Amino acid sequence: MADRPWHRSLIKSGVRLFLGGSLAHVQDWYPGLSIVRSQNISEVLYRGAKVASLAGMDRLRERCGNAIYIVGSGPSIRDCDLSQMEPRSAILLNGAIRLIGEQIEEPLAIAVEDERFVWRHIETMRRKILPGSLCLFSVSVLRALCEIDKGWLSDKTIILIDDIRKPYGARRRSLDDLKKLQYVRLDAAGSAGFSLSPDRGVFLGGSVAVSALQFALYCAQQSVGFLGIDISNAGEPRFYETGDDTAFSGIARAEGRIVEHLVFARQIAAERGVAFINYSPISALLKYDFGYDDRFAKARP
């Protein structure tokens, strides 16, 4: 499929025109998607019918061991051997789901926040994301999945990725609004943030890796590792692509924003005694003193 159907582009433009910038993100759930969250009920509805239940952070935390790995689909994954990674320890981002059943038998969770990935790779999602999988999905991803196949979500365990700046069902928050939230940490400039309670929203920072990290650090006991979070070479084909089928990526262009959030998160991790470990030898993280550990380097013949 295309990155986004033409009707979604029309809806996006129309919502911004009629509702303005503070409510432009209504397009993420319009039309048809509703999210109900209360002490008694947390569920996803599509056109009035329940399509999935929403789980809380405890479902993720209870599955975790000492180490959590955030695994992207950067080109460096081609040079990694992940077969010895601890079971249920990897949060797989977007196209990294292709590792399921190959190098990774069972992930800790899957994270997708950009609906364009759904439209382009729905068949891969159907094939790789098995019943019972724990999925971190954004509002727009849930709506796109429902548009395509609303029954597909019913046997998955869903945790919501809600944009703390542009939350579901509410107006866009200002910097002053964010400063009033007790579960929010902001850097000195207010440009990078971190949510201490990802159930209530996370900061989106140019890559789903930023969102996944807020969930991971909420649960982490000892370390959070990064694999395939290359960033600087995002213009090259992802590990599963060839030159002919490479989809556009804005990751390299967003490098400053992404790294700003990761560096800020590292400060919070240090306060908690959690180490950040980079396992990608060509990652932009090397420029920001994340170091390199060759534990998962593929053996050379």
Side-chain angles (χ1 to χ4, degrees), residues 113-129:
E113 73 180 19
D114 189 338
E115 69 169 286
R116 290 174 296 182
F117 182 82
V118 176
W119 293 108
R120 187 175 178 86
H121 297 287
I122 183 60
E123 293 306 323
T124 302
M125 294 179 73
R126 284 170 167 157
R127 186 174 70 254
K128 288 291 188 176
I129 303 177

Side-chain angles (χ1 to χ4, degrees), residues 67 69 81 84-86 278-279 292-298:
Y69 305 94
D81 178 5
Q84 300 304 311
M85 186 176 285
E86 300 91 326
N278 168 49
Y279 295 100
Y292 169 61
D293 187 308
D294 66 357
R295 175 187 169 191
F296 296 107
K298 188 177 293 182

Side-chain angles (χ1 to χ4, degrees), residues 65-289:
N66 291 330
I68 298 175
Y69 305 94
I70 297 176
V71 183
S73 52
S76 67
I77 289 293
R78 298 190 189 101
D79 297 318
C80 292
D81 178 5
L82 310 183
S83 60
Q84 300 304 311
M85 186 176 285
E86 300 91 326
R88 288 188 174 185
S89 62
I91 300 178
L92 303 181
L93 314 180
N94 296 337
I97 62 175
R98 292 172 183 264
L99 297 168
I100 298 174
E102 297 175 11
Q103 292 194 53
I104 293 177
E105 189 61 32
E106 183 181 4
L108 171 61
I110 293 111
V112 182
E113 73 180 19
D114 189 338
E115 69 169 286
R116 290 174 296 182
F117 182 82
V118 176
W119 293 108
R120 187 175 178 86
H121 297 287
I122 183 60
E123 293 306 323
T124 302
M125 294 179 73
R126 284 170 167 157
R127 186 174 70 254
K128 288 291 188 176
I129 303 177
L130 303 178
S133 295
L134 184 56
C135 302
L136 311 178
F137 287 159
S138 69
V139 175
S140 63
V141 163
L142 290 171
R143 190 256 309 135
L145 287 167
C146 288
E147 283 192 60
I148 296 168
D149 181 0
K150 64 182 181 181
W152 184 80
L153 289 166
S154 63
D155 57 8
K156 313 299 185 299
T157 301
I158 309 298
I159 295 177
L160 182 67
I161 299 176
D162 197 9
D163 186 343
I164 204 165
R165 291 189 179 97
K166 295 180 283 186
Y168 170 81
R171 291 181 176 276
R172 180 174 186 148
R173 288 181 170 126
S174 67
L175 183 58
D176 286 339
D177 293 331
L178 293 171
K179 289 178 178 178
K180 295 174 184 176
L181 300 177
Q182 295 183 349
Y183 54 92
V184 160
R185 293 276 300 272
L186 293 165
D187 67 0
S191 56
F194 192 90
S195 173
L196 304 177
S197 182
D199 259 355
R200 302 161 77 177
V202 296
F203 284 86
L204 274 59
S207 165
V208 65
V210 173
S211 302
L213 177 57
Q214 289 164 83
F215 286 96
L217 192 50
Y218 180 89
C219 302
Q221 299 177 38
Q222 291 185 3
S223 65
V224 177
F226 300 89
L227 298 96
I229 312 299
D230 299 350
I231 306 174
S232 57
N233 62 351
E236 299 177 18
R238 298 163 179 85
F239 77 89
Y240 57 87
E241 294 176 329
T242 65
D244 296 331
D245 65 351
T246 302
F248 170 77
S249 172
I251 294 296
R253 187 174 59 194
E255 177 179 333
R257 183 181 175 206
I258 296 167
V259 173
E260 182 181 36
H261 282 81
L262 297 184
V263 169
F264 183 57
R266 184 172 58 185
Q267 298 177 26
I268 298 169
E271 294 170 7
R272 299 182 175 190
V274 175
F276 281 6
I277 306 172
N278 168 49
Y279 295 100
S280 296
I282 57 174
S283 173
L285 298 178
L286 293 168
K287 295 185 293 185
Y288 301 90
D289 299 322

